[in-house]
Amino acid sequence: MDALDKCLQDNRVTFIPINTATFDAQVEHKTYPRFLLLEKDYFVAHVDGEAPVKCNYEARNKVMSEFWLGRIQRVTSDLKQVNGLWVSWRPLVHFFVYEGADSLQSECTALHNTVFEYANTDDFGALAEIVKRKPHCEQKYFGVNNGQTYTLVNTDNVEQKYEFSRLNLRTLGFKLWKKETTVQSLIDEEAQLAVFRPNPSRRPGFKLHDADGREIVDGEPFMLHIVNYEYDPESDMDDEYDDIPEDERQFYGKEWVKAMSSADQRPCFVNGALHNGTRFHAETIDGIMYIKNENRYLTTHLDPMDDYLYSDVGVPAKDNRIQIHYAEDGNIRLSAWGGRTYADYEWMGDEGGMITFGLEELYLGQSDPLKLRIVRL
């Protein structure tokens, strides 16, 4: 076992020593519907009594990520078969992770084509030397994940580093593999895109005010009007949601704060969760100003894949706070606390949509992110 490259799914399984001379897969299926049989040079995936699938170890993280879904076709997706053995058709990316890293979450499957190990040093040069000793891994770059931050590092020049979020992991991986970009090219592009990113620094003595510069005091009611939204009735995307009951459209029990409009071109406002209306007010606690809808705080989610605007009870933890930024015209934009992108809205037809923070990362600089005008009541 010590000689095997580790994969991110190892913390979800139990390793049991067996005697291959007496092992009977059919007997084991009565106790374990799904299991992997690890041999010296390959492993075999047994899934719910279907025909076993023999794979090489470079495909192990991909296979184990799909293994829980229980279908052979999902187990072998993105693999190719060579001489009866399912293999990965791309070089593996070596990822180093630190304690508490985002990729260690059990639901994270974004790092399919990887091997990984815990990093015990901040010396990227030492990490690069480890990668160079693994010829089956990608040699031009490797990955590092610390907290929510992912970094691609040039193996030959570790000063070349590019930071990104999990949301872009697969897209960047394919671009690098297809040689459509390089780590240095990504760094150069980021320098051009920096002007479109929010400033994560806090403004001392922050005060909320409307576009005319008049201060909004704590408790004063207001609405939030989306000022850069244009309704296009030809792009109604709501059909795919018509058959979903309204109560099942809520996400993990938290209510989305929706952006609401109508087909008759009335202004589009941010609507409070469920039936709480569209009235908001500010509340300052320990020097930090929060926006509330009745007794619920506007908040977001730490996970970039679930990065929507919510309305939830209880003061948000730091990682779930909303940060407010002033645009040139005095209106406001939102970001996650210290976030890398402004909020935008994911529209779903003339009834509204969900405000999100992560999706704009893929289109940074190509569109105007969500802008809100404070409308006093």
Side-chain angles (χ1 to χ4, degrees):
M1 286 298 299
D2 292 340
L4 289 181
D5 282 324
K6 304 299 185 291
C7 78
L8 289 170
Q9 300 298 323
D10 284 348
N11 60 353
R12 299 183 65 183
V13 301
T14 301
F15 292 93
I16 304 174
I18 63 169
N19 184 340
T20 54
T22 59
F23 180 80
D24 187 332
Q26 297 302 318
V27 173
E28 291 300 319
H29 269 301
K30 296 177 181 179
T31 305
Y32 305 105
R34 305 169 194 168
F35 60 88
L36 302 182
L37 180 62
L38 306 183
E39 300 283 2
K40 180 181 178 181
D41 299 317
Y42 61 88
F43 68 94
V44 183
H46 294 261
V47 181
D48 297 333
E50 297 189 43
V53 176
K54 184 186 294 186
C55 310
N56 75 345
Y57 277 105
E58 293 175 18
R60 194 163 73 91
N61 195 65
K62 167 63 180 174
V63 171
M64 290 183 67
S65 296
E66 301 287 7
F67 189 61
W68 318 104
L69 300 175
R71 296 195 301 271
I72 291 292
Q73 59 267 36
R74 291 299 300 266
V75 168
T76 56
S77 62
D78 294 336
L79 300 177
K80 66 178 181 179
Q81 197 169 29
V82 179
N83 298 325
L85 197 66
W86 288 95
V87 302
S88 177
W89 48 271
R90 287 187 288 150
L92 301 177
V93 178
H94 198 301
F95 255 86
F96 296 93
V97 300
Y98 293 84
E99 195 71 36
D102 171 66
S103 55
L104 296 177
Q105 300 179 71
S106 60
E107 67 271 18
C108 178
T109 61
L111 295 171
H112 280 335
N113 202 60
T114 61
V115 297
F116 97 105
E117 63 184 273
Y118 283 99
N120 55 13
T121 177
D122 294 326
D123 182 354
F124 283 6
L127 301 183
E129 292 303 315
I130 295 174
V131 176
K132 292 176 183 178
R133 295 194 294 269
K134 297 187 176 183
H136 57 284
C137 288
E138 172 63 57
Q139 292 295 299
K140 288 184 171 56
Y141 60 90
F142 61 92
V144 177
N145 178 209
N146 194 353
Q148 295 291 313
T149 301
Y150 290 78
T151 307
L152 288 174
V153 185
N154 186 324
T155 308
D156 294 321
N157 180 5
V158 295
E159 296 303 315
Q160 288 186 5
K161 301 186 290 287
Y162 175 72
E163 292 187 356
F164 60 100
S165 71
R166 193 203 324 164
L167 189 68
N168 290 336
L169 184 56
R170 286 196 176 107
T171 301
L172 291 176
F174 273 106
K175 285 186 174 181
L176 287 162
W177 172 69
K178 292 180 178 179
K179 296 181 173 56
E180 295 176 356
T181 189
T182 64
V183 174
Q184 184 58 54
S185 296
L186 292 171
I187 294 171
D188 294 341
E189 290 172 11
E190 177 60 29
Q192 301 297 318
L193 293 173
V195 66
F196 300 105
R197 295 196 183 279
N199 182 352
S201 301
R202 287 191 60 197
R203 179 183 296 187
F206 179 88
K207 299 291 184 182
L208 188 64
H209 58 73
D210 61 20
D212 297 322
R214 296 178 298 169
E215 182 179 348
I216 304 292
V217 299
D218 281 10
E220 181 178 357
F222 58 86
M223 300 174 74
L224 294 172
H225 175 203
I226 299 178
V227 297
N228 57 341
Y229 164 67
E230 296 180 2
Y231 172 66
D232 180 5
E234 299 300 322
S235 63
D236 190 344
M237 300 170 58
D238 199 43
D239 293 345
E240 61 181 300
Y241 296 92
D242 287 346
D243 297 330
I244 304 177
E246 183 67 28
D247 59 346
E248 293 183 13
R249 300 186 194 188
Q250 310 309 321
F251 192 78
Y252 287 127
K254 291 186 176 181
E255 299 84 356
W256 269 318
V257 175
K258 298 181 180 180
M260 303 299 293
S261 73
S262 66
D264 60 7
Q265 300 296 296
R266 287 183 296 182
C268 175
F269 287 91
V270 177
N271 194 36
L274 296 181
H275 304 295
N276 288 345
T278 55
R279 294 169 64 93
F280 296 95
H281 67 273
E283 180 177 340
T284 303
I285 303 173
D286 296 330
I288 298 174
M289 197 220 71
Y290 300 90
I291 294 179
K292 298 183 68 175
N293 168 228
E294 295 190 354
N295 67 331
R296 306 173 72 87
Y297 295 81
L298 294 195
T299 178
T300 185
H301 196 284
L302 180 62
D303 189 334
M305 306 299 286
D306 303 332
D307 217 354
Y308 293 91
L309 183 65
Y310 299 117
S311 175
D312 203 7
V313 296
V315 178
K318 180 178 179 179
D319 290 332
N320 304 124
R321 294 174 189 162
I322 301 299
Q323 193 162 359
I324 299 171
H325 309 266
Y326 286 107
E328 298 80 1
D329 57 6
N331 292 305
I332 65 172
R333 298 189 194 275
L334 306 179
S335 77
W337 192 264
R340 291 168 51 83
T341 59
Y342 291 111
D344 207 348
Y345 43 77
E346 186 179 6
W347 211 253
M348 296 182 179
D350 63 347
E351 290 299 319
M354 278 69 68
I355 296 173
T356 179
F357 295 88
L359 295 180
E360 182 64 17
E361 177 81 26
L362 300 175
Y363 309 102
L364 199 64
Q366 300 179 27
S367 63
D368 190 26
L370 176 70
K371 187 186 294 183
L372 300 170
R373 175 178 295 124
I374 294 176
V375 179
R376 294 172 181 267
L377 297 177

